[in-house]
Amino acid sequence: MHRNSPRALKPVAAVTGGLVLAATLSACGGDSSADSSAKTVTVYSADGLKGEKGDGWYDKVFKDFEAKTGIKVKYVEGGSGEMVQRAVREKSNTQADVLVTLPPFIQQAQDKGLLQKYVPAGADKVDGGAKSPDGMWTSVVNNYFGFIYNKKDLKEAPKNWEDLLDAKYKNKIQYSTPGVAGDGTALVIKAMHDFGGKEAAMEYLRKLQANNVGPSASTGKLAPKVDKGELLAANGDVQMNYAQAKTMPNLGIWFPGTASGTKPSSFGLPYAAGLVSKAPHSANGKKLLDYLLSEEAQKEVSEIGGGFTARTDIKATDANAVALGKLMLGVDIFQPDWMDISKNLPAYVDAWKSATGS
């Protein structure tokens, strides 16, 4: 299959800051696989899949899961890095049962011993690049890095990174924090790819700082600012921004290349899920992971969530799936080395802080 087709793409990920506690958490910890009698399951997740008005993919699948199993989902949302850091702090008294985060943070979660092996039903239908070979995590929604712009104030989308250095973008650009937000981390990865390495990427981001409002802990909070015209451009990801555009009419999605001729490109940022090590309700966590990859739930990924199904055997034909396919046409897709990025991420974040004074 053509590498620019969303069906053929191999994933990665990111997301946002501000911690949102959607339900009171149980104080219990430890591995209790036998504790299936406790009808709860706690999910720590990167943001983007839960709708602000209760109309997101999580809203639908959690409701259906609760109806089918009687297991109530307790949900905690934050940036990809933030969720991993919280799980690390709680290792001696584990709270979460399921962790959903973007690359390279899902790899970091595995490296830090936060995950235990579990291969959900349906994982055999997930592309090999979208799951760990040792069964520690599996993508449940595929997604891609992108940028957004204000369609009302700009007659056309910026064509490349260099456009954002123009004086008209002074205090009109913002991106989420690398190392904290998945999409912010993805921005650094994309810049390194497009400019040919870390030093050139950091030099560009140093220049961009003249127009940048400053880092944001949350990628999701940037879209409303762009829609209102407070910002002209920001970073994001296709799934989240496409879903937001339903209620934000001035939001447009674009993919930068470079002025030297590099084509618009992107890479996979999947929402990857794993069973937490010593999960308080691991049996319930397994049931939820099975349901997230079920045909029923996966068929609703594009129709309700505005994302790309993780299963290769499901061919979405709804209006959102068609529109998303058209959006990705002509966009080159590259595959980051996530293990290398996970290993070197602290150095990349330090370089970004030094270059931008953040």
Side-chain angles (χ1 to χ4, degrees), residues 147-279:
F147 276 73
I148 50 178
Y149 74 102
N150 182 292
K151 296 192 295 185
K152 180 180 178 181
D153 294 339
L154 296 176
K155 293 182 180 179
E156 59 182 10
K159 291 184 174 61
N160 50 53
W161 289 96
E162 287 84 354
D163 281 358
L164 300 180
L165 300 178
D166 190 277
K168 72 179 179 181
Y169 290 100
K170 179 73 173 180
N171 295 325
K172 290 289 187 176
I173 291 174
Q174 192 172 20
Y175 58 87
S176 50
T177 311
V180 175
D183 291 325
T185 305
L187 180 140
V188 171
I189 294 168
K190 172 85 161 86
M192 289 172 58
H193 171 269
D194 287 4
F195 290 104
K198 183 178 72 172
E199 298 305 322
M202 297 308 157
E203 176 60 20
Y204 169 81
L205 292 174
R206 183 189 66 76
K207 295 177 182 177
L208 184 65
Q209 200 66 7
N211 290 343
N212 186 23
V213 174
S216 168
S218 170
T219 311
K221 293 180 179 179
L222 298 179
K225 295 181 181 181
V226 173
D227 181 62
K228 295 174 184 177
E230 295 175 20
L231 300 173
L232 290 178
N235 70 315
D237 62 72
V238 173
Q239 177 276 324
M240 179 170 62
N241 295 145
Y242 182 83
Q244 289 172 318
K246 297 294 184 181
T247 57
M248 300 180 190
N250 298 322
L251 214 61
I253 299 173
W254 65 288
F255 305 91
T258 65
S260 61
T262 304
K263 290 180 62 178
S265 65
S266 184
F267 56 94
L269 277 180
Y271 293 89
L275 185 66
V276 176
S277 179
K278 298 182 180 180

Side-chain angles (χ1 to χ4, degrees), residues 49-61:
L49 294 176
K50 197 173 192 302
E52 294 182 8
K53 298 182 178 180
D55 55 355
W57 186 67
Y58 271 164
D59 299 287
K60 179 65 163 60
V61 296

Side-chain angles (χ1 to χ4, degrees), residues 90-104:
E90 296 172 349
K91 282 186 75 172
S92 62
N93 184 28
T94 305
Q95 302 294 306
D97 300 301
V98 172
L99 177 67
V100 184
T101 189
L102 306 179

Side-chain angles (χ1 to χ4, degrees), residues 305-321:
F308 304 83
T309 176
R311 289 179 53 148
T312 59
D313 61 329
I314 293 176
K315 313 297 181 185
T317 58
D318 58 272
N320 284 345

